[in-house]
Amino acid sequence: MSNKKSWRAVDDYIVASLFEPDPVLDSVLAANHDQGLPAIDVSPAQGKLLSLLVRMQGAKKILEVGTLGGYSTIWMARGLPSDGRIVTLELDPHHARVARSNFDRAGVSDRVELRVGPALQSLAALDAENAGPFDVIFIDADKPNNPNYLSWAMRLSRPGTVIVCDNVIRDGAVLDEDGRDANVEGARAAFSFIGGDKRLDGTAIQTVGAKGYDGFAIAIVD
């Protein structure tokens, strides 16, 4: 069995062994596909990890940069208490419409605030509104803006805030110092930001599975 086939098979085994059947989340992914959204959502195992991180943190306020169809948003919203709230930012109006329908489908609309527009503008607005601090911040949007998103995350955080930045390994291409791929450069910029900010204590984890070879960085604000 090839590596990729094995990774996917193990992911399927994880889900079959540890998760209850979830027709709602299955329908969310089906709706995303039917509406032409790119299949770049987190995997079920990664989504469950996000939900567990929210619960471990005892989070009541979450910020997500990059909604897509709302799959990861729903996972995190499910980890919130009844009075918790997640603010999620999406650039594309079509993606936002699909996401709102998915939030209704999953029964989490009362916990989700979706803001449509360029994320940097939305982040500035949240800061101006004193909307922070957030307990968990998940960054999964256009990779070249990683350092800008992380900078805003610091403004919207508190000591103890957990920040997760997705897609930072890029099939190992993060090692390429001389590459011209903007997504790889964005991944490297995330490492430079987290490693260079003394207020952050972080690490990164390489992952394999249904989404291929990638990984995420995770840090806590001191």
Side-chain angles (χ1 to χ4, degrees):
M1 186 181 294
S2 71
N3 276 350
K4 289 187 177 180
K5 286 184 178 179
S6 177
W7 297 342
R8 181 175 291 277
V10 171
D11 254 14
D12 290 344
Y13 172 78
I14 291 168
V15 171
S17 300
L18 301 179
F19 297 8
E20 295 292 331
D22 199 324
V24 170
L25 283 174
D26 291 343
S27 69
V28 166
L29 291 178
N32 289 352
H33 177 269
D34 292 345
Q35 291 297 319
L37 273 62
I40 54 174
D41 315 88
V42 298
S43 70
Q46 292 166 340
K48 184 61 173 288
L49 174 62
L50 290 171
S51 184
L52 292 175
L53 284 173
V54 169
R55 292 177 60 194
M56 291 173 188
Q57 175 74 341
K60 288 192 174 183
K61 293 175 65 175
I62 302 171
L63 173 62
E64 178 182 46
V65 184
T67 313
L68 193 60
Y71 185 73
S72 55
T73 323
I74 293 166
W75 272 112
M76 290 187 286
R78 286 178 166 186
L80 286 168
S82 58
D83 60 344
R85 190 163 185 80
I86 178 168
V87 178
T88 184
L89 312 179
E90 174 56 43
L91 173 64
D92 189 300
H94 174 60
H95 294 177
R97 285 191 294 272
V98 176
R100 285 197 173 98
S101 176
N102 285 333
F103 299 151
D104 289 340
R105 180 180 287 110
V108 300
S109 294
D110 60 330
R111 279 168 274 172
V112 179
E113 177 187 350
L114 173 57
R115 298 194 178 198
V116 183
L120 293 177
Q121 293 181 18
S122 297
L123 290 164
L126 287 169
D127 186 51
E129 295 164 16
N130 294 314
F134 292 92
D135 305 310
V136 171
I137 300 174
F138 179 49
I139 299 171
D140 189 14
D142 56 305
K143 308 312 171 187
N145 264 317
N146 275 342
N148 295 322
Y149 296 146
L150 285 164
S151 180
W152 278 112
M154 295 304 295
R155 291 176 65 97
L156 293 162
S157 65
R158 58 166 176 80
T161 292
V162 171
I163 300 173
V164 180
C165 191
D166 200 10
N167 307 124
V168 298
I169 302 300
R170 313 299 306 182
D171 202 29
V174 71
L175 294 177
D176 186 2
E177 297 182 18
D178 301 318
R180 294 295 181 265
D181 185 312
N183 290 322
V184 173
E185 291 178 354
R188 290 179 63 86
F191 277 93
S192 296
F193 188 103
I194 294 170
D197 193 317
K198 299 305 181 184
R199 297 168 295 173
L200 289 170
D201 190 10
T203 189
I205 301 295
Q206 300 181 77
T207 61
V208 297
K211 310 305 293 186
Y213 173 33
D214 211 327
F216 57 88
I218 182 168
I220 189 168
V221 180
D222 286 335

